[in-house]
Structures are given as structure tokens and as C-alpha cells.
Amino acid sequence: MATETEHSPGEAVTARIERRWATLSIIIVGLLVGMAAYIGIHQATMPQGHVETADPKTLHLAGEFIESNLGSAVEADGSVTVRAIGQQYSFTPQCVVVPSETPVTFRATSADVVHGFLIEGTNINTMLVPGYVSALQVRFKAPGEHMMPCQEFCGIGHQGMWGKVKVVDKAAFLNMAAAKRRLTCVD
Amino acid sequence: MSDQPLVSLRNPWFVAGVGITVGIAAFSAVVGLIWLPLAQPDLKLSGIWDAICSAAGVPRATVQDASIKPEFRTSNVVMTSEMLTKPDQVSIGRGATLSQRCAICHGPQGVSDANSPNLAGQFAAVTYKELNDFKAGARVSVVMSPFAAAISDQDMKDVAAYYAYLPRVPSNNLNAGLPAPAIVVTGAPMRNIPPCGSCHGDIDNKAGSPWLGGQSAVYIKAQLQSLASGARRNDISQQMRNVARQMTPEEIDQAARYYAAQP
């Protein structure tokens, strides 16, 4: 029986087709892994590298999310770190001020429920999950104003939850930063 | 061919298939867990083990750098939505005795016409938080601060439980026919103002937000003004200052008058 099937012309065709499909699948897998690697290295928005935790109930007592530490801070390497919290139903600071043409890191978390964190005109779009810190990097090209709505239903007052990001000229920002260590544009 | 076992090292198809799959898995693991994390200088990874842990999502506490300390006292109360929602009778009884000290301004039944807050039926968490903030100096009042200075934590809980237990009494300004102003019903979504009731109990209650119905209009207006100006700062992480700052003086007036006329 074995010799019979070996001689059948149908088997040779099947084997050839199977080899081709296997080759094709391996190429597709290789391509997808390669794409993921390329995008991971070269695209602007990457998934967060670290999982960091913060207790939502005690954000206001100690740590980096206390009220007086929220806002934009100039780091030693010249980049800017913005710390913010989302809570029912506002962002604090309500108005974030950042410089143009500077690497900016947003670090934000939620004090109560899941909120959304989206900055219009940028690649920033993430969730603020109570218990975890969301950290994202962005570089604003030009001065201007961006809306920062909560885009994750967070309760009955959700539609009123907005913030604002004001991008100012780098020199103007550094002037402001010389006078104050945490900047906001809340009037 | 059919005599040959399928799962065997002597079957070249099996060896090749499993080998390639294992190879891809190993290659992907190296790329995803080691190479890509290390290719991101912003992550500041300390080595291969750190890269693997961070890519695998092992949680870590936030790196503590020097935070800017506040120049004023902030509230140190840890609010949760279930706090003080199950009072016991002993606590209420003790609170009734303790509350005699409060009666001169807040009324013997927790209601008065002295333009001080009416406490009857107020959420216990609210009374407790405000007493704490007065004691800690996060909220300052010429009248209240000295009263709160020496009160113990248990006494605050008891007083809060007693006032939460008292029934709300309609104030003299009750006017159920007064139409609700837009700022109360819908807020002003374009100015980051949600409807008042989304926190203050009419629709939903956020722990720490007081019931406003039947409070004196003078008191509500004064509080909104001092939250807007930043004179009062005991709302945790600016949750009410963010709202009050955006309200116009007319809206503050309308909201104060409306809530004073509610039960």
C-alpha cells in the first residue's frame, strides 16, 4: 500500500503545494514580527514600558501626585514632565502648559474611576486607571491650544470633564519656569 | 510512511515543524522582552533582567523624586465611598450628646437660620471630613477652627453619625416651584462644569460632596466664591475649585438661590 501511494502523482502535487504554503506562512509570520519590531522602534507612540502603581485613595497625602507637585516641571536634561490626575469630573491641573519643540512626558493617574486621557492633535490617547500610572511621551511642534477631553465614560458628569493643553514658545516657557517650579495655566 | 510514528525525532517533518515553531518563539521572546525594551533609552533600564521584568509587566512602585511640598495645608482625609455609611446606635447616641456644643450655630435639631450649614441629614462622611479639615487647618473659619481644634477622631465620627441620622427639615425658604437653573441641571460642559447633582447627591454622590438642599444661600455663595478665588482649598486635588473657578457670579447666585429653596 505504501509503495502504491508513493507512486501516485496526486501525492507529489500535494507535497509541493504543502511546501509552498508552509514557506508562505513562515514568510508572513516573519514579516509580521519584523513589522512589530520596526514600528516598536521607530513610531512615536509606544506602549508604556513600565507598569507603575499608585494608590488612588492617598494620592493627595504623599508622593508625586500631591496637589502642589501637579503641573509641568523642567527636568535636569531639559525635557519637561507633566504630572496630572483625573477625578470625577475634572483634570488637575485644568490647564496644562508645555513648551514647543521639547520632549514632554505626561505622567497621570486617576483618583477614583477609569478616566480617558486624550490630547487632540497628538498621538496621546490612553486610559487613566485607578491604581496605575500612565506615562506617555510627546513632542509638540508648534505653539497652540489642544483640547484634552476625558474620552472614557466616568460617571454622570462625564460630558463636563475637559482639560486644556497650551503649547507655548520654548523661550517663553523657560522664562515662566524660572519663577516657579511647577507650571500650570489655570487662571 | 504510515508505519512511522508521527511524534518522533526520526520524523524529519516533525523535527522541522517543532524546531521552527520553537525558534520563532525564542526569537520573538528575545525581540519583545530584551531587544525592543533596551532599544528605548527613555525607559532607563538597568540590564537584561530589568528589561524582561518591565516588558512582562511586573508592577513597580513609582520612582520617588523630590515632590514640591505645598505652601498651605491640604486635606489629609482618605475618602472612600463606603466610609461612615453604617453607623451604630452607640455612636449616634454619643453624637447627640456631643452635638449640644454645636447647637448654638447649627440649631438643636441640626437646622438654624444663622446662615451656618444645616447639618440634619447631611452625609456623615461630609461632616467628618470638614471637622477633620478644620482641625488640621486645611479649612479655616474664625468660628469653627477653635471648636474643632481639640475634638478627637471618635467624637468627629459620632457627631457626623448623629447629624446623618437626623431627618432633613425643610428650611423656611422652601420653594419647590422654583425652576432649576441651567447651571444646576446641565452644568456647562464646555467650561468643565458637570451638573451639580452628579456629585452632590441629587443624581449621584461622590464621597465628600455635601447635600446642598436647604442650605443657606448666603453660605453656599460664600463657599463657591472662596473656592473660586482659592481662599478655601480643602477640596481634595482641587475637585471643587476646578468647577467653582469656571462659574460666573450670576451662576453662583442662581445655584445658591436654587439649592436654598430645595428640601
Side-chain angles (χ1 to χ4, degrees):
Chain A
M1 237 172 91
T3 46
E4 260 178 35
T5 46
E6 261 169 40
H7 287 290
S8 105
E11 189 182 329
V13 174
T14 314
R16 201 168 63 234
I17 291 174
E18 225 166 74
R19 252 198 316 280
R20 284 181 185 168
W21 272 116
T23 316
L24 187 65
S25 324
I26 291 167
I27 291 173
I28 290 173
V29 170
L31 188 73
L32 290 177
V33 171
M35 264 167 62
Y38 180 82
I39 291 168
I41 294 169
H42 291 282
Q43 292 290 91
T45 304
M46 284 176 274
Q48 202 171 330
H50 300 300
V51 174
E52 289 179 61
T53 53
D55 184 359
K57 295 195 294 292
T58 57
L59 293 177
H60 61 295
L61 299 184
E64 66 173 319
F65 294 105
I66 57 173
E67 186 184 327
S68 48
N69 201 45
L70 299 176
S72 311
V74 181
E75 301 295 332
D77 61 1
S79 70
V80 168
T81 302
V82 179
R83 290 184 183 84
I85 64 162
Q87 63 195 345
Q88 288 168 324
Y89 294 101
S90 61
F91 292 100
T92 303
Q94 214 170 14
C95 179
V96 171
V97 61
V98 290
S100 57
E101 291 301 337
T102 309
V104 176
T105 305
F106 281 89
R107 289 180 62 79
T109 188
S110 162
D112 35 46
V113 299
V114 174
H115 295 283
F117 189 74
L118 180 148
I119 300 175
E120 160 258 327
T122 73
N123 256 342
I124 288 194
N125 182 356
T126 187
M127 289 199 293
L128 305 183
V129 182
Y132 296 92
V133 178
S134 299
L136 282 174
Q137 268 135 5
V138 70
R139 197 185 173 95
F140 293 94
K141 288 197 185 75
E145 240 180 52
H146 301 254
M147 295 308 285
M148 187 173 78
C150 171
Q151 98 297 19
E152 194 75 40
F153 182 75
C154 60
I156 206 78
H158 163 68
Q159 72 282 3
M161 185 166 171
W162 291 79
K164 210 163 46 176
V165 176
K166 205 165 147 188
V167 185
V168 298
D169 181 63
K170 193 172 179 175
F173 181 86
L174 290 176
N175 273 338
M176 291 158 75
K180 223 172 151 213
R181 291 166 70 195
R182 293 291 180 268
L183 293 175
T184 68
C185 43
V186 175
D187 15 271
Chain B
M1 196 174 168
S2 56
D3 300 337
Q4 218 179 334
L6 186 63
V7 181
S8 156
L9 285 177
R10 274 174 295 146
N11 179 349
W13 291 104
F14 173 76
V15 172
V18 172
I20 289 171
T21 310
V22 169
I24 290 174
F27 173 71
S28 308
V30 171
V31 169
L33 295 173
I34 301 172
W35 181 36
L36 289 182
L38 288 177
Q40 300 178 49
D42 300 329
L43 293 184
K44 298 183 182 73
L45 297 166
S46 62
I48 289 181
W49 187 240
D50 194 15
I52 293 172
C53 287
S54 88
V58 176
R60 57 184 207 178
T62 299
V63 185
Q64 290 296 332
D65 50 0
S67 296
I68 302 287
K69 296 282 169 268
E71 290 157 1
F72 52 90
R73 291 230 178 241
T74 51
S75 179
N76 57 12
V77 185
V78 176
M79 300 301 296
T80 60
S81 44
E82 64 274 12
M83 74 189 286
L84 307 183
T85 47
K86 294 185 190 72
D88 62 273
Q89 295 301 313
V90 178
S91 185
I92 293 170
R94 287 193 75 238
T97 311
L98 290 165
S99 73
Q100 293 183 358
R101 277 197 283 173
C102 319
I104 191 163
C105 293
H106 294 285
Q109 296 300 314
V111 180
S112 85
D113 282 326
N115 289 334
S116 43
N118 293 329
L119 298 175
Q122 186 56 269
F123 304 117
V126 171
T127 312
Y128 175 72
K129 177 181 182 288
E130 297 308 318
L131 281 170
N132 252 296
D133 289 350
F134 280 124
K135 185 179 179 179
R139 186 177 175 186
V140 181
S141 149
V142 181
V143 183
M144 252 336 271
S145 296
F147 273 100
I151 186 167
S152 76
D153 188 65
Q154 189 56 49
D155 287 358
M156 290 191 228
K157 284 182 178 145
D158 294 342
V159 169
Y162 171 65
Y163 280 120
Y165 158 84
L166 286 181
R168 287 182 191 132
V169 180
S171 76
N172 296 335
N173 305 314
L174 186 69
N175 175 7
L178 192 70
I183 190 69
V184 168
V185 182
T186 57
M190 291 310 290
R191 277 182 288 143
N192 192 188
I193 305 177
C196 308
S198 54
C199 287
H200 286 282
D202 326 17
I203 309 170
D204 196 2
N205 179 228
K206 182 168 171 62
S209 311
W211 178 259
L212 297 174
Q215 299 297 347
S216 123
V218 176
Y219 176 75
I220 295 178
K221 188 174 166 180
Q223 296 313 310
L224 281 172
Q225 284 169 339
S226 61
L227 285 161
S229 72
R232 181 179 160 187
R233 301 184 279 206
N234 72 316
D235 52 328
I236 293 172
S237 301
Q238 305 209 35
Q239 51 188 285
M240 192 59 210
R241 273 169 286 169
N242 283 340
V243 176
R245 217 184 281 126
Q246 303 294 328
M247 291 173 76
T248 63
E250 296 75 48
E251 286 167 343
I252 288 181
D253 260 346
Q254 290 167 359
R257 272 204 307 274
Y258 171 75
Y259 274 111
Q262 298 308 302

